[in-house]
Amino acid sequence: MDKSPDAFRTISEVADDLDLPQHVLRFWETRFPQIKPLKRGGGRRYYRPDDIELLKGIRHLLYDQGYTIKGVQKLLKTNGNKFVMAVATGDVATMEALVAASAAKGDDPKVNLDEDQVVGRPKVRTSGRFFGLVGGAGDDAPEISVGKGSVGKEDRALLQEALFDLLECKRLLDQVR
């Protein structure tokens, strides 16, 4: 017997529906605070219909549209969950209504996206610096130390984000093979 459309779904049902491994859904929970499945005894996750629609939107933006995780996070922050849900269903009328409502409040339209939110259009750093190191080897170049305390907290976060992006690229390449 099939469940009703408004029934809660388990992580395996959602993973099968979205054609994703379960660990990807758990990873997305760490990256997108908007994803909040109900957790029952033993840590079992139950996804509401709205959670599933949001996951569909995130999946569409990441896999079909080529957004980065950071780009989808920014899109969710600026436009909200309903906008991303509308993107998943292709509901242009809802997307336009949400943008119009935002403009009516006096906010600037928030649909325009920065270049660093889409894979394939890298944003060039104008400062010439990468992880706090100057690109040249001149006299003013900082001394690089190797050891546990040589990488700052902000740089660690950048490296961690780069690692996740590389893992996502590897996953996409593995799908093509």
Side-chain angles (χ1 to χ4, degrees), residues 82-83 86-87 90-104 109 111:
K82 290 184 181 181
F83 183 85
V87 168
D91 189 358
V92 178
T94 302
M95 288 187 284
E96 290 174 350
L98 290 169
V99 171
S102 176
V111 180

Side-chain angles (χ1 to χ4, degrees), residues 34-49:
Q34 297 86 354
I35 302 172
K36 298 175 190 160
L38 179 67
K39 291 186 184 175
R40 298 296 299 225
R44 242 178 111 96
R45 292 166 168 81
Y46 291 96
Y47 292 87
R48 300 169 189 86

Side-chain angles (χ1 to χ4, degrees), residues 11-171:
I11 192 168
S12 61
E13 291 171 327
V14 174
D16 289 342
D17 187 34
L18 296 176
D19 193 30
L20 292 170
Q22 294 177 19
H23 71 270
V24 171
L25 296 175
R26 290 187 205 101
F27 172 72
W28 285 357
E29 286 178 36
T30 66
R31 293 290 170 233
F32 303 105
Q34 297 86 354
I35 302 172
K36 298 175 190 160
L38 179 67
K39 291 186 184 175
R40 298 296 299 225
R44 242 178 111 96
R45 292 166 168 81
Y46 291 96
Y47 292 87
R48 300 169 189 86
D50 284 347
D51 293 330
I52 297 168
E53 288 303 312
L54 181 60
L55 288 167
K56 286 179 182 178
I58 291 170
R59 183 191 188 289
H60 176 73
L61 289 169
L62 289 173
Y63 296 158
D64 300 335
Q65 298 298 317
Y67 281 84
T68 62
I69 289 177
K70 192 174 187 178
V72 176
Q73 288 170 338
K74 190 170 185 180
L75 194 61
L76 278 165
K77 184 178 178 185
T78 57
N79 295 306
N81 294 3
K82 290 184 181 181
F83 183 85
V84 174
M85 288 180 203
V87 168
T89 60
D91 189 358
V92 178
T94 302
M95 288 187 284
E96 290 174 350
L98 290 169
V99 171
S102 176
K105 287 187 215 175
D107 296 339
D108 292 329
K110 299 175 183 174
V111 180
N112 296 335
L113 301 171
D114 295 333
E115 291 178 9
D116 65 346
Q117 294 177 330
V118 180
V119 174
R121 289 191 251 154
K123 191 171 185 179
V124 179
R125 295 181 183 266
T126 57
S127 68
R129 297 173 58 93
F130 186 71
F131 295 112
L133 303 175
V134 178
D139 294 333
D140 59 343
E143 186 177 320
I144 300 172
S145 63
V146 178
K148 192 172 184 178
S150 64
V151 179
K153 194 173 192 175
E154 184 177 311
D155 293 341
R156 279 181 212 258
L158 288 171
L159 287 169
Q160 185 70 34
E161 185 175 317
L163 175 63
F164 286 126
D165 287 344
L166 288 170
L167 291 172
E168 183 65 21
C169 290
K170 181 186 179 304
R171 188 195 61 76

